[in-house]
Amino acid sequence: AEIQSNNLRNGASFENLKASWGKALDVGGFKTNLNCKYDYNANKDGLKEVSLSGDLIEAGSSDDVAVGYEVTRNVPANQNNIKLTASTHGTTVFGEYADSQLREVGARREVDIGDQKLNVEPSWRVQAKEARIKLMSAVGGGKDRVSAEVNYANGDVDVAEIGYQRELEEGRRVKATLTPRTQNLEVEYKDDKFEQGASWTATANVPLDNANNILDAAKVTVSRAWNW
């Protein structure tokens, strides 16, 4: 479960409550994972999301093909989403459907560039007619991670997101995400050691479009998540 505050700069108060519950099921030898999510702001009187996921075909080795699925029901939006994946030899291809329409197809693979390993995920967003590529690499001995998301449509290149994450120590990390399109910088600090059995996260969203008003326009929130 997770409780979120509103903007602390306006006085601390309750903003949202989220909860999730999962269970592994075995129906006639067919194994699947059931996951339910609750979000007070999205649907205070019922569940926000229900999903089933698992393997249609399990791979005995890396040379075999594994086929997985995830079926998600968004209750407030009355929408069904289906994601299918097929993995072999370190490459995963996927397709996503929303209400019987193909939404996105793509692939994921880790490649070696010099001494660095780079996770590459190119995809094609069918309805938007837009190409997307996600890149992520661990640097600094694995304690740092850098990422980028770039979109290409109608001859234009759009850097959608640039991210940096650093593990300060075990159980404590900081992450910064820049969204150039909206000129917003999000800085997140997560601490799993501050309170036993709980995770605390402080998030600051800083608009960069007005350099003279950065501090006044910043939004700071805090959340607490725990298992039971």
Side-chain angles (χ1 to χ4, degrees):
E2 180 180 352
I3 294 179
Q4 299 175 336
S5 76
N6 68 339
N7 186 1
L8 298 183
R9 297 173 61 86
N10 297 329
S13 63
F14 169 79
E15 174 72 16
N16 197 14
L17 170 65
K18 297 180 180 181
S20 62
W21 174 82
K23 185 176 180 60
L25 303 176
D26 190 335
V27 182
F30 184 76
K31 296 180 180 180
T32 188
N33 297 304
L34 171 66
N35 190 49
C36 302
K37 293 182 179 180
Y38 173 81
D39 187 312
Y40 179 85
N41 287 346
N43 186 19
K44 67 178 182 179
D45 296 322
L47 293 175
K48 174 190 177 183
E49 188 177 285
V50 180
S51 65
L52 293 171
S53 62
D55 293 325
L56 295 173
I57 301 175
E58 296 184 1
S61 69
S62 60
D63 294 331
D64 296 335
V65 177
V67 179
Y69 70 93
E70 182 176 10
V71 181
T72 303
R73 174 69 174 180
N74 188 312
V75 179
N78 197 30
Q79 185 181 63
N80 297 317
N81 296 327
I82 301 173
K83 183 174 183 178
L84 298 174
T85 61
S87 304
T88 185
H89 295 285
T91 299
T92 298
V93 295
F94 63 87
E96 295 187 17
Y97 299 80
D99 282 341
S100 302
Q101 289 188 328
L102 183 61
R103 182 171 63 182
E104 186 173 7
V105 292
R108 291 189 299 271
R109 184 174 178 85
E110 185 178 75
V111 298
D112 294 322
I113 300 179
D115 296 331
Q116 294 294 127
K117 292 186 179 296
L118 180 67
N119 288 307
V120 182
E121 183 180 310
S123 65
W124 174 253
R125 302 176 69 193
V126 179
Q127 303 301 318
K129 296 182 179 179
E130 179 179 72
R132 168 180 291 176
I133 184 167
K134 297 180 181 179
L135 306 170
M136 193 278 289
S137 179
V139 296
K143 288 193 172 183
D144 299 337
R145 294 180 181 273
V146 292
S147 61
E149 181 179 316
V150 181
N151 299 328
Y152 178 82
N154 300 320
D156 296 326
V157 176
D158 174 33
V159 180
E161 186 177 286
I162 300 172
Y164 171 78
Q165 177 178 307
R166 179 171 181 80
E167 184 180 359
L168 303 175
E169 60 178 290
E170 185 178 355
R172 292 190 173 107
R173 65 167 176 81
V174 63
K175 181 172 68 172
T177 305
L178 174 64
T179 308
R181 183 184 302 172
T182 59
Q183 288 292 292
N184 183 76
L185 175 65
E186 181 179 277
V187 180
E188 177 186 283
Y189 172 73
K190 185 176 181 180
D191 195 324
D192 298 330
K193 301 173 70 175
F194 178 75
E195 178 187 355
Q196 185 176 0
S199 295
W200 285 85
T201 302
T203 305
N205 281 279
V206 184
L208 304 178
D209 51 353
N210 186 352
N212 297 322
N213 195 37
I214 288 179
L215 293 180
D216 290 338
K219 179 182 178 181
V220 181
T221 60
V222 173
S223 66
R224 178 183 184 270
W226 70 98
N227 295 323
W228 76 89

